[in-house]
Amino acid sequence: HIYHTLYFALSILHILYSATSTLHMHLVYTGLIVRIFINQKFNDKKNTQTHTNISSTKMLSQDQLHQYRQDGFLVIKELLTIDECQQLKTAANKLIDGWQPEEDYLWIFPNGETRERSGARQMIDSSDKISFFIEKDAVDPQTGKLNREKHLSVSMIGHYLHMLEPNFKTIAFSDKIKAIARDLQYIKPAIRQSLYIFKQPLIGEKITSHRDASYVSNEPFKIDGIWIALEDATVENGCLWFIPGSHSTPTQRHYIRNPNEQEFNEGKLLINMGEDQFDENAFIPVEVKAGDAVLIDGQVAHKSEQNKSSYTRQICAFHIFESHNSIYKKENWLQLTEPFPLLYDE
């Protein structure tokens, strides 16, 4: 450290001046040495306290953890401030400003491929990019072109916002998100994907009943989602619905890369295997305010209904999985050519 070097140098000078200089100079240099020593000790203590505070901060109480283990979901009040919500909304709009759908996404238009096949290709290609997905009702079925302004057409942006967009990266790797992962006893949590969902007015699509484990899996299984409302989410505009406790039963349906290499190369990229059965009457709505988050166990059944309101229901979400002594399955549709980014490594 520079403090040690300065301390040593001034100590030598102190000795020399002690022997040859006046009492005044002796006191001046002694004072300098004492000040440097005190400052060093203060900064060392401050740095230690800062590190300790970051690593020991808790976001979830024991009661909240118990509730989460029991229900499979948990509302965390005011995870983000309103200003932080607005920053993410502004960042998303700027991304759309620079998007040219006619140039970048020919799958919107008739091009010889089925919409399903083209959509699957876009999903796979978006793994390490920022890609834009379109509301079904924002496309004219006759022409295949957008029937409204592009900002009102996008259903989702994904799946690498947490690495490629600075505002989302700041939130994804924030101390608050890290603290949640620590409370859930993650050792080496990796961020699998990030999403920004709009739920456009009147056309925001219904998301059918599902579990996140249908789309991503590791062994042993440990996956959680952090879903953050950037606007109030209500029954009218398409809030989340859950079946409490449904995470206690294993997932049967899996949406995976086609293991048949020939079919995959011919364009049948993604397939469904198995089926989950849910009691639609068992779902309960979970309305939240802007800035609130919903913690989602990877096995819990959830859905959202169509947005029937005249305003959006914008959210961002991050999915994390345990990478310590765990295998991320090669059948998962989202794969990276490099290791998944770690939230932290302890």
Side-chain angles (χ1 to χ4, degrees), residues 94-134:
K94 287 182 178 178
L95 289 173
I96 300 176
D97 288 342
W99 176 53
Q100 299 298 327
E102 294 85 355
E103 296 177 7
D104 294 343
Y105 290 87
L106 295 177
W107 67 272
I108 295 175
F109 309 98
N111 60 1
E113 276 195 316
T114 66
R115 182 181 178 88
E116 180 182 0
R117 182 173 296 179
S118 298
R121 189 181 305 281
Q122 187 198 15
M123 285 275 287
I124 289 176
D125 291 345
S126 72
S127 299
D128 58 355
K129 299 179 180 66
I130 294 177
S131 297
F132 300 83
F133 298 80
I134 306 299

Side-chain angles (χ1 to χ4, degrees), residues 132-176:
F132 300 83
F133 298 80
I134 306 299
E135 296 280 10
K136 181 177 63 176
D137 290 340
V139 178
D140 188 318
Q142 301 301 318
T143 65
K145 296 184 178 182
L146 299 181
N147 59 21
R148 64 198 68 209
E149 201 273 329
K150 62 180 181 179
H151 290 79
L152 298 175
S153 303
V154 178
S155 65
M156 182 180 74
I157 305 175
H159 289 93
Y160 217 47
L161 290 162
H162 57 286
M163 295 301 291
L164 300 180
E165 206 294 320
N167 294 279
F168 288 90
K169 188 172 185 177
T170 296
I171 297 298
F173 291 90
S174 67
D175 291 337
K176 289 181 284 191

Side-chain angles (χ1 to χ4, degrees), residues 67-74 211 241-249 279-286 299-302:
Q67 193 71 40
Y68 184 54
R69 296 188 192 103
Q70 176 178 292
D71 293 339
F73 66 93
L74 177 74
R211 309 173 197 249
W241 293 64
F242 290 92
I243 300 180
S246 54
H247 61 305
S248 61
T249 58
D279 178 2
E280 294 296 319
N281 294 322
F283 281 94
I284 62 170
V286 178
Q299 298 270 23
V300 74
H302 59 288

